[in-house]
C-alpha cells in the first residue's frame, strides 16, 4: 500500500441503530493492521426514524473519520448510495451494507485486486444459504430474465458490495438519471472488473428492509431501466396473434364451403375475446410502465435532499 492511498466506505443506513456500533468496531479491527490507508467512513442516514442518527453522531465524536450525510427522508438505498458516492473523496470507494452481511474483512483482498490494476472489484455470493428458498429462486429468475433482455448484463449474485476506483465513481456521478438501478449502472459504466467470492452471512442485528413487493418493484425498475424489449415484444405478439387469426379465418371459410355453416361457437368466441382482451391490457400496462418512468424522469428532480452533513474534519 502506498502512503497516499485513501479509501472511502459508503454505508447507507435506514433504521439501523443496533448495527452501527458493531459495524464500526469491525471496520476498526480490520483496518487496525493497515495504518497506511487513509480511511473515511461515509454513513448516509436514509431517513431513519430510530436512534440511528444519534448513534452515528456519538460514534463520530470518538472516530472523526466518520462523515454523516443526513437525508431529509427515506429516499431508498439506491439514492443513498448515490449521495455517498457523490460525497466520497477516496482513491478507491467501497459500497457496503451496515448489517455485516457484507463482511468488512473482505475489503483487504479487494484492495489487493485494486492494486493489481482492476478498477472494479465485485464481491460475489458463492452461496446464498442465508436467504430463503423463495428469495434465491426469485433472485435467479430475476438475473435470468434481466440478462436475457438487457444490455449490458449484470453479474448474478453480486450485490452493491464492491470496490471502485475513483475513475469509476466519477463516471457514475456523470449519469443524470432519476431512476437509479445501481447494479445496472455499475455494469453500464464498464471498466476492468474482477470478482472475489464469499459466503454471505445472516444479518446480525435488525431486520431486512426489503420485502417481496419492494424486490418485485426493484426488479421492474432494473428491467425497464435497461431494456426496451418488453415494449417491442408487443409488435411480435400482435403479428403472431393476427397471423393465427387469419389462418383460423381461412380454416373456417374452407370448413363452411366443405361442410356448411357451423352455428355453435360460443366457447371459441369467448376464448378469443378474453384472451385478446387480456393481451391488450398487458400491452397497455407495459406501455404505462415505461410512460410513467419517462414522466418521472422528465421532471428532473434530484435523487435525494440532504438535511445536513456532519463532518468534523472540515
Ligand atoms: N437501506 C437504506 N435505505 C433503504 C433500505 C435499506 O439505506 O430504504 C440500507 C440498510 O440500512 C442496509 C442496506 O441498505 O445497510 C441493505 O439493506 P438490507 O440489509 O435490509 O437488505 P438485504 O441485505 O436484506 O438485501
Ligand atoms: Mg442485509
Amino acid at each position: 500500500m502506498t502512503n497516499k492511498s485513501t479509501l472511502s466506505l459508503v454505508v447507507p443506513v435506514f433504521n439501523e441503530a443496533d448495527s452501527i456500533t458493531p459495524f464500526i468496531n469491525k471496520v476498526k479491527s480490520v483496518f487496525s493492521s493497515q495504518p497506511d490507508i487513509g480511511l473515511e467512513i461515509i454513513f448516509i442516514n436514509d431517513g431513519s426514524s430510530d436512534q440511528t442518527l444519534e448513534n452515528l453522531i456519538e460514534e463520530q465524536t470518538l472516530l472523526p473519520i466518520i462523515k454523516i450525510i443526513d437525508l431529509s427522508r427515506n429516499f431508498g438505498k439506491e439514492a443513498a448510495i448515490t449521495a455517498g458516492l457523490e460525497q466520497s473523496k477516496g482513491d478507491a470507494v467501497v459500497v457496503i451494507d451496515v448489517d455485516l452481511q457484507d463482511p468488512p474483512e473482505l475489503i483487504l483482498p479487494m484492495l489487493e485486486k485494486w492494486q493489481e490494476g482492476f478498477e472494479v472489484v465485485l464481491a460475489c455470493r458463492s452461496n446464498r444459504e442465508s436467504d430463503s428458498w423463495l428469495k434465491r429462486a426469485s433472485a435467479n429468475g430475476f438475473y435470468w430474465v434481466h440478462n436475457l433482455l438487457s444490455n449490458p448484463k449484470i453479474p448474478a449474485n453480486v450485490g452493491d458490495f464492491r470496490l471502485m476506483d475513483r475513475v469509476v465513481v466519477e463516471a457514475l456521478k456523470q449519469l443524470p438519471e432519476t431512476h437509479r438501478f445501481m447494479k445496472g449502472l455499475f455494469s453500464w459504466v464498464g471498466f476492468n472488473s474482477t470478482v472475489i467470492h464469499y459466503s454471505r452471512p445472516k444479518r446480525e442485528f435488525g431486520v431486512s428492509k426489503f420485502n417481496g413487493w419492494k424486490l418485485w418493484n426493484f426488479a421492474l425498475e432494473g428491467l425497464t431501466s435497461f431494456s426496451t424489449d418488453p415494449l417491442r415484444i408487443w409488435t411480435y405478439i400482435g403479428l403472431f396473434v393476427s397471423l393465427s387469426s387469419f389462418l383460423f379465418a381461412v380454416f373456417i371459410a374452407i370448413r363452411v364451403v366443405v361442410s356448411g355453416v357451423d352455428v355453435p361457437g360460443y366457447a371459441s368466441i369467448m376464448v378469443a375475446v378474453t384472451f385478446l382482451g387480456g393481451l391488450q391490457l398487458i400491452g397497455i400496462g407495459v406501455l404505462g410502465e415505461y410512460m410513467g418512468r419517462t414522466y418521472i424522469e422528465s421532471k428532473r428532480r434530484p435523487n435525494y435532499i440532504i438535511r445536513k452533513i456532519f463532518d468534523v474534519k472540515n
Side-chain angles (χ1 to χ4, degrees), residues 178-179 221 224 228 231 286-300:
T178 307
H179 282 110
E221 180 85 55
T224 50
T228 50
L231 283 174
V286 173
L287 281 179
E289 195 71 43
Y290 280 89
M291 233 191 72
R293 279 162 209 277
T294 315
Y295 174 62
I296 301 279
E297 201 70 57
S298 69
K299 293 176 190 271
R300 313 233 49 78

Side-chain angles (χ1 to χ4, degrees), residues 93-123:
V93 178
V94 170
V95 179
I96 184 167
D97 287 358
V98 76
D99 57 7
L100 295 177
Q101 283 195 290
D102 300 339
E105 58 269 28
L106 229 60
I107 298 173
L108 299 182
M110 283 176 154
L111 282 168
E112 275 167 27
K113 292 279 182 196
W114 174 57
Q115 299 212 299
E116 285 170 24
F118 290 103
E119 291 143 329
V120 178
V121 186
L122 307 170

Side-chain angles (χ1 to χ4, degrees), residues 16 77 97-102 135 200-203 207-210:
E16 301 280 8
K77 187 182 179 189
D97 287 358
V98 76
D99 57 7
L100 295 177
Q101 283 195 290
D102 300 339
K135 189 158 180 184
R200 189 163 167 87
K202 277 200 165 49
R203 198 178 229 282
V207 289
S208 172
K209 307 296 179 295
F210 291 94

Side-chain angles (χ1 to χ4, degrees), residues 11-16 44-46 48 74-78 80-81 96-99 101-102 125 131 135 160 200 203 207-210 214-215:
V11 198
V13 286
F14 174 47
N15 291 344
E16 301 280 8
I44 307 91
N45 178 31
D46 189 16
S48 302
N74 178 252
F75 282 91
K77 187 182 179 189
E78 315 291 299
I81 292 176
I96 184 167
D97 287 358
V98 76
D99 57 7
Q101 283 195 290
D102 300 339
R125 307 165 196 183
D131 288 338
K135 189 158 180 184
D160 295 317
R200 189 163 167 87
R203 198 178 229 282
V207 289
S208 172
K209 307 296 179 295
F210 291 94
K214 241 181 161 180
L215 285 173

Side-chain angles (χ1 to χ4, degrees), residues 12-307:
V13 286
F14 174 47
N15 291 344
E16 301 280 8
D18 297 337
S19 305
I20 306 255
T21 309
F23 174 81
I24 291 173
N25 289 341
K26 182 83 201 187
V27 170
K28 274 199 284 201
S29 81
V30 168
F31 285 92
S32 59
S33 59
Q34 307 287 327
D36 292 339
I37 303 176
L39 185 66
E40 72 171 346
I41 312 178
I42 304 176
F43 286 98
I44 307 91
N45 178 31
D46 189 16
S48 302
S49 52
D50 64 357
Q51 293 290 306
T52 300
L53 183 64
E54 288 77 359
N55 291 4
L56 283 172
I57 293 171
E58 199 179 313
E59 291 289 346
Q60 190 184 43
T61 55
L62 309 170
L63 195 66
I65 59 167
I66 291 176
K67 184 170 171 179
I68 308 161
I69 304 169
D70 188 27
L71 302 186
S72 61
R73 63 171 171 87
N74 178 252
F75 282 91
K77 187 182 179 189
E78 315 291 299
I81 292 176
T82 305
L85 291 179
E86 281 174 5
Q87 296 290 327
S88 69
K89 301 206 179 72
D91 304 323
V93 178
V94 170
V95 179
I96 184 167
D97 287 358
V98 76
D99 57 7
L100 295 177
Q101 283 195 290
D102 300 339
E105 58 269 28
L106 229 60
I107 298 173
L108 299 182
M110 283 176 154
L111 282 168
E112 275 167 27
K113 292 279 182 196
W114 174 57
Q115 299 212 299
E116 285 170 24
F118 290 103
E119 291 143 329
V120 178
V121 186
L122 307 170
C124 177
R125 307 165 196 183
S126 49
N127 78 49
R128 298 182 64 124
E129 271 156 24
S130 61
D131 288 338
S132 67
W133 178 87
L134 188 67
K135 189 158 180 184
R136 267 182 283 166
S138 53
N140 286 337
F142 165 72
Y143 286 119
W144 185 77
V145 174
H146 185 96
N147 286 340
L148 193 69
L149 299 180
S150 309
N151 237 332
K153 314 283 173 222
I154 53 174
N157 297 324
V158 169
D160 295 317
F161 185 28
R162 64 189 60 217
L163 178 145
M164 289 174 282
D165 188 85
R166 174 73 7 216
V167 283
V168 182
V169 176
E170 291 304 318
L172 283 169
K173 279 162 63 177
Q174 282 175 28
L175 303 181
E177 57 241 80
T178 307
H179 282 110
R180 299 189 83 81
F181 179 67
M182 291 312 287
K183 285 185 200 211
L185 297 180
F186 286 145
S187 303
W188 187 89
V189 293
F191 297 102
N192 289 330
S193 68
T194 185
V195 175
I196 56 176
H197 292 270
Y198 75 110
S199 103
R200 189 163 167 87
K202 277 200 165 49
R203 198 178 229 282
E204 300 245 347
F205 305 92
V207 289
S208 172
K209 307 296 179 295
F210 291 94
N211 56 26
W213 180 244
K214 241 181 161 180
L215 285 173
W216 164 252
N217 282 317
F218 188 55
L220 275 188
E221 180 85 55
L223 211 58
T224 50
S225 295
F226 284 90
S227 173
T228 50
D229 286 359
L231 283 174
R232 290 172 49 215
I233 199 170
W234 294 100
T235 315
Y236 299 100
I237 294 178
L239 279 175
F240 173 76
V241 172
S242 1
L243 191 70
S244 316
S245 49
F246 176 74
L247 293 177
F248 190 52
V250 171
F251 165 74
I252 292 174
I254 293 173
R255 205 173 57 169
V256 167
V257 171
V258 174
S259 55
V261 181
D262 177 18
V263 178
Y266 173 75
S268 53
I269 288 176
M270 279 314 283
V271 168
V273 168
T274 50
F275 174 70
L276 283 180
L279 214 59
Q280 283 162 352
L281 286 179
I282 297 173
I284 293 172
V286 173
L287 281 179
E289 195 71 43
Y290 280 89
M291 233 191 72
R293 279 162 209 277
T294 315
Y295 174 62
I296 301 279
E297 201 70 57
S298 69
K299 293 176 190 271
R300 313 233 49 78
R301 286 189 186 140
N303 289 305
Y304 56 86
I305 304 282
I306 297 178
R307 178 183 291 123

